[in-house]
Amino acid sequence: MRGVLSLTTLENALKINNGKAVLLSIKKEWLSKIMAGEKVMEVRKSMPWEISHPFVVFCYETKSNGGAGKVAAAFICDDIDSLNCLQSLAVFDDTELPKETEKFVNESCLTFKELFDYGKSVGALYGWHVASTQSLDKKLSDFGLKRPPQSWQYVRISI
């Protein structure tokens, strides 16, 4: 389910989590694919445990490769898949991938090699579902922050 993130959807996800949301750092090229609807899964080495689905994810576009250096988008994460790296990435021929690995490759816009390189040193990777998107123009200071997270962190939003 993709589409424009409505104020109601955003407010509902924030209410479910008492104003708690996630702020993640993301490179310009990946955020562009999310906003275009090409990338419907964001792969991370960890996932939020202190929040319920659906939750709001604010995207800080990093300054690398001409990125904006601001919170440029938001999406609703309505589910998270996990990928057992020891089983699902231990293939010798990437022409016949396990179904869950193929899903991660197709939905994340990562190649098998990129997925393997990212996940080879961890036990699991997590695929955050991108359900809806909205462009934003916010500063980190709007979230009470002076610097962006390394990967992601919790933020609290007044509702």
Side-chain angles (χ1 to χ4, degrees), residues 30 45 53 70 77 82-83 98 101 104 114-115 124 126 131 145:
W30 298 120
K45 292 179 182 176
H53 299 102
K70 66 180 181 178
C77 179
S82 63
L83 184 72
T101 306
F104 267 65
E114 289 169 326
L115 193 63
Y126 300 94
L145 300 173

Side-chain angles (χ1 to χ4, degrees), residues 60-149:
Y60 173 82
E61 184 179 282
T62 66
K63 292 180 181 179
S64 69
N65 300 330
K70 66 180 181 178
V71 179
F75 66 83
I76 297 291
C77 179
D78 62 0
D79 200 10
I80 297 178
D81 292 333
S82 63
L83 184 72
N84 180 325
C85 295
L86 300 175
Q87 292 176 350
S88 299
L89 296 179
V91 295
F92 300 102
D93 179 4
D94 67 359
T95 59
E96 288 194 40
L97 298 175
K99 283 184 182 181
E100 62 185 20
T101 306
E102 188 174 353
K103 178 180 180 181
F104 267 65
V105 168
N106 292 336
E107 294 184 6
S108 71
C109 296
L110 293 169
T111 65
F112 172 76
K113 182 176 179 351
E114 289 169 326
L115 193 63
F116 176 82
D117 288 346
Y118 187 60
K120 67 184 175 188
S121 64
V122 296
L125 289 175
Y126 300 94
W128 301 21
H129 290 213
V130 177
S132 300
T133 59
Q134 178 178 327
S135 295
L136 296 175
D137 186 9
K138 301 277 185 191
K139 299 175 188 171
L140 284 174
S141 60
D142 295 336
F143 295 84
L145 300 173
K146 293 183 179 180
R147 61 187 192 108

Side-chain angles (χ1 to χ4, degrees), residues 5-70:
L5 180 63
S6 72
L7 189 56
T8 305
T9 306
L10 181 70
E11 287 175 347
N12 286 343
L14 287 170
K15 282 182 183 177
I16 288 168
N17 290 291
N18 297 316
K20 191 178 248 185
V22 169
L23 174 70
L24 65 80
S25 292
I26 188 166
K27 292 181 180 178
K28 179 181 180 176
E29 56 267 33
W30 298 120
L31 186 55
S32 294
K33 288 183 180 295
I34 285 174
M35 297 307 290
E38 298 169 31
K39 182 175 171 67
V40 296
M41 178 185 285
E42 175 60 21
V43 178
R44 296 288 164 143
K45 292 179 182 176
S46 63
M47 62 176 261
W49 296 98
E50 300 173 14
I51 203 163
S52 300
H53 299 102
F55 60 87
V56 178
V57 178
F58 293 99
C59 300
Y60 173 82
E61 184 179 282
T62 66
K63 292 180 181 179
S64 69
N65 300 330
K70 66 180 181 178

